[in-house]
Each structure stands twice: as C-alpha cells, then as structure tokens.
Amino acid sequence: MFTPRVALASLSGEADATWAKNGAVDAGAAFIGGVSLDTATRDAARRLVDRGRCEFLPPDPIAFITAELDALADVTITPGVNVRSTTVQPVRTVGRRCAEYNAILEINAHCRQDEMCTVGAGESLLQDNRRDRLHELIRAGRAGGAPVSVKVRAGIDNVDLAAIARTVADAGGEIIHVDAMDTEVSIERIATAAPELFIIANNNVRGHESVREYHEYGADAVSIGRPSTNQHIRRRVCRATEDVFETMNTDTRLSHIQQ
C-alpha cells in the first residue's frame, strides 16, 4: 500500500506536515498527530500540556488537519492522521477529509497517559468494556470513506491483541499499527488472528536486523518513532525495507486503499 514499506509514526505535538516532508525521501507513509478531536480528549490534552508534554491543540482540529493534509498534497508520501476521540462524529468528519486527500485515518488506541485513558481514549479502548467504542470509532472512520488504521500497544495486562485484531478487521479496519514493546511475537499472533489486516510493526526499528525480524513474524511494513527525525536511521531502515520486503511489492491485499 506504500513504498518503501516504512512509515513515520506520529509523535505527540511534533509530527506535522513539515516533519512528514522532511522524512518523505526515506518513507512511504507518515502519520501526523496525534490530534485530539472532541471536548474530552482536548481537555485531557490541555492537562498533559500543563504538566509539560507537547500536544497539538489548534483552535479548530478539523481545520488544522485539513491544512496539514493540503500541505502534503504534492509530497510523494502517503499521509496518515492519528486522532484521539471519545465520540464518533468528529472521527467521521476526519474520515471524509482523509478520503479527499487519499490519506489514512488512524485511531489512537495507543496513548497510555492517565489523562487520556481516564476519559476513555488511548489504550483504554483496548479494554473489554471499551471494545464496542473502538468498533464504533473504526466504523465512523470508514463511513467517512477513509482507510482506517488502529495504533495499539502490546504488553498491556488483560489485553488480548489477537482479539483486538479481530475487532479491527470486523469493524472494517484495514491496518493495525503495533507498538510491539519488545514482544515481537505479538506480531505473529495478530497475523494469525487477522490475516486480512495490513500490519505495521513499531518498536526499536533501526536497521536490517529489526526489519527482517518483524517481517519474519508477519509484518507487512515497519514504522519509526522517535528516530524519525534522524536522517541516518531513516535511510538505513528504508534500505532495509527495500531489501526485506522486495518480494512483497506485488502484494495486493490492500490495493483497494490506493483506488
């Protein structure tokens, strides 16, 4: 779905259009954000800022996303937008914006900050009592017309990522973006449980060895987090993906996303 098969993962308050442009020569996709969309998540983001974290808090998050996607319209990279929300309507709206720009909408079920989890966003969406809301958010994004990714984290107590993968697939999501948290075998479990999903593996991706390991566990692509601003690491990972995933360039499982 993108080439090379390396994505730049969203960095809170830092991953914007300029960041994506700077990394475009070495990456096939870039997820800007995360962007908090509704009142609950924006209030949570303000509390995070109050204690020193960097967050995107534009006056109008939809206008901000539109401007960022417009800035990437002529850049040779597949854009993505990582969003946080507890309600479906703004996710549906962003889904429409993403569809207009051939961008991926990514639901953030990854943030582990207490402020976000307390309001029902971030990794709290992976808990059994919030699984229905995750399903609804994915459906809302798809209703907007965008391909939907869900960013998740491995290694959370009482969370079965294989079951989460099935939720993503059953709700119409196409992509699962996994922070493996040093448990690379979680990629294999997801690939077995939901083989129709496109898997982006994240965590300690630095070069050929890590790319090959994730590929062998079943990943379709990898992503770079904090080192995404380091050109040397981006270039090394890019070359590794071109080598390791070369035989998969004709993979058509998600070719409809590019249509």
Side-chain angles (χ1 to χ4, degrees):
M1 61 174 296
F2 53 81
T3 303
R5 293 201 180 202
V6 54
L8 308 179
S10 60
L11 302 172
S12 178
E14 300 177 38
D16 59 8
T18 299
W19 162 86
K21 287 179 183 179
N22 289 341
V25 69
D26 303 311
F31 292 91
I32 63 174
V35 182
S36 297
L37 298 180
D38 63 351
T39 299
T41 55
R42 285 172 63 78
D43 287 346
R46 291 187 185 96
R47 291 193 291 274
L48 288 171
V49 170
D50 287 344
R51 64 176 176 88
R53 281 181 60 87
C54 187
E55 290 286 335
F56 290 115
L57 274 170
D60 183 338
I62 305 299
F64 171 76
I65 288 169
T66 303
E68 293 293 289
L69 289 174
D70 194 55
L72 292 172
D74 296 325
V75 179
T76 308
I77 198 165
T78 298
V81 183
N82 180 286
V83 299
R84 304 170 182 144
S85 186
T86 63
T87 54
V88 299
Q89 184 53 49
V91 173
R92 186 177 292 111
T93 300
V94 175
R96 288 197 292 267
R97 292 291 188 277
C98 287
E100 291 168 6
Y101 287 91
N102 294 315
I104 301 165
L105 170 64
E106 182 165 88
I107 305 297
N108 186 318
H110 175 265
C111 180
R112 58 184 171 185
Q113 304 303 317
D114 288 342
E115 291 86 348
M116 284 293 167
C117 293
T118 297
V119 301
E123 68 177 28
S124 73
L125 291 168
L126 304 181
Q127 300 295 330
D128 288 345
N129 63 342
R130 301 288 178 111
R131 194 83 57 80
D132 287 346
R133 177 46 53 98
L134 176 61
H135 190 280
E136 291 170 358
L137 293 172
I138 296 167
R139 291 291 298 273
R142 290 293 297 127
V148 174
S149 168
V150 179
K151 180 79 179 289
V152 302
R153 186 190 305 277
I156 304 173
D157 290 342
N158 303 316
V159 170
D160 180 355
L161 278 189
I164 294 294
R166 282 306 331 154
T167 295
V168 173
D170 292 345
E174 290 96 340
I175 307 158
I176 188 164
H177 189 173
V178 187
D179 184 344
M181 297 294 290
D182 299 320
T183 58
E184 291 82 358
V185 70
S186 62
I187 302 298
E188 183 176 42
R189 292 172 183 150
I190 289 169
T192 300
E196 65 268 51
L197 292 179
F198 188 93
I199 302 172
I200 305 174
N202 172 272
N203 188 249
N204 202 31
V205 175
R206 298 292 185 272
H208 198 280
E209 183 178 355
S210 52
V211 169
R212 180 167 294 281
E213 183 175 24
Y214 278 128
H215 172 259
E216 289 174 350
Y217 275 114
D220 298 290
V222 296
S223 73
I224 309 171
R226 289 292 166 192
S228 63
T229 57
N230 185 316
Q231 182 182 22
H232 299 293
I233 293 177
R234 289 199 315 261
R235 185 64 48 81
R236 188 163 65 239
V237 173
C238 177
R239 289 170 177 165
T241 59
E242 288 172 343
D243 176 23
V244 173
F245 291 104
E246 181 179 1
T247 59
M248 298 178 65
N249 285 343
T250 58
D251 184 4
T252 58
R253 286 192 298 154
L254 291 180
S255 60
H256 63 286
I257 291 178
Q258 298 175 313
Q259 297 176 357

